[in-house]
Amino acid sequence: MDYTIETLIPREAVEKRIKELASEIERDYKGREVIVLGLLKGSVIFMSDLIKEIDIPLVIDFMSVSSYGNGTDSTGIVKILKDTDFDLKGREILIVEDIIDTGLTLKFMKDLIKGRGAKSVKCCAMLNKEARRNVDVDVDYYGSKVGNEFVVGYGLDFLNMYRNLPYVGVLKPEVIQKYVNK
């Protein structure tokens, strides 16, 4: 057991909610093909489990964008590190994210994809952190709301660590301070 992390959402609760989200997505996209666009790296574990539960035609793709660098706060500037492999014009796009925090990245992505002529753009996030939102953006589907804690696990990281935890946990402030003060 890692005493530097307090379990916030146990594995079983995450898995149950993923099945519920998949059902909602299936219902909303019934009879249509969707491109499920994961934002690297945080969405990989969540997206993998989510798409296994969705029973509609879908294509998967990935983009890598960043507004954080190596810190715990957004820089306010979104950079595309890896672009999509598909033409999005006229397509139904479901962006999959690990967490919606300030909303900056999601707003940037929705605007970018709409600007590329997508038929529709929605978002499914594992976590929704409204406490830090400073951009008005809709999160169409989300697993759970979280407070202003620094969360890790199930794809979420701190300095690229903790992504492999099978649950969502809160990283204790003293762990963050240890690395920030180096």
Side-chain angles (χ1 to χ4, degrees):
M1 173 176 248
D2 189 342
Y3 294 102
T4 61
I5 300 168
E6 177 185 335
T7 300
L8 182 64
I9 307 170
R11 179 182 201 158
E12 298 78 20
V14 173
E15 291 170 351
K16 179 179 184 272
R17 185 63 182 130
I18 286 172
K19 290 175 193 254
E20 294 167 353
L21 288 168
S23 292
E24 292 174 37
I25 291 165
E26 275 182 31
R27 180 194 66 225
D28 292 351
Y29 284 99
K30 186 174 182 166
R32 300 179 284 167
E33 180 184 277
V34 63
I35 293 179
V36 179
L37 183 63
L39 299 186
L40 296 172
K41 298 176 186 169
S43 73
V44 170
I45 294 169
F46 173 60
M47 181 173 150
S48 174
D49 287 350
L50 179 68
I51 63 173
K52 287 186 274 186
E53 300 295 333
I54 298 174
D55 189 21
I56 59 170
L58 60 82
V59 173
I60 64 170
D61 199 2
F62 294 96
M63 285 185 73
S64 181
V65 296
S66 177
S67 67
Y68 283 86
N70 287 327
T72 60
D73 292 311
S74 176
T75 63
I77 300 167
V78 180
K79 296 178 185 174
I80 297 175
L81 306 175
K82 183 232 178 278
D83 210 336
T84 180
D85 294 331
F86 294 99
D87 181 4
L88 306 180
K89 188 174 184 175
R91 306 293 295 269
E92 310 260 5
I93 310 300
L94 178 65
I95 299 167
V96 177
E97 257 286 35
D98 53 358
I99 188 168
I100 306 301
D101 192 346
T102 64
L104 179 68
T105 300
L106 180 57
K107 180 168 182 2
F108 173 87
M109 289 300 302
K110 282 188 165 187
D111 291 346
L112 177 73
I113 292 168
K114 286 177 188 172
R116 292 181 178 180
K119 184 175 181 179
S120 72
V121 183
K122 291 187 175 183
C123 174
C124 179
M126 184 173 66
L127 301 176
N128 189 0
K129 189 186 270 195
E130 292 177 334
R132 290 187 29 104
R133 192 83 80 248
N134 60 22
V135 174
D136 187 26
V137 66
D138 290 327
V139 182
D140 304 282
Y141 312 95
Y142 60 88
S144 299
K145 286 185 180 179
V146 292
N148 201 22
E149 308 93 351
F150 195 89
V151 290
V152 294
Y154 218 88
L156 296 152
D157 75 301
F158 175 65
L159 301 176
N160 282 308
M161 298 181 292
Y162 304 106
R163 290 187 197 276
N164 61 318
L165 296 176
Y167 59 89
V168 176
V170 176
L171 191 60
K172 293 190 178 172
E174 57 267 22
V175 175
I176 295 169
Q177 287 303 102
K178 183 173 111 180
Y179 287 96
V180 171
N181 291 333
K182 277 189 172 184

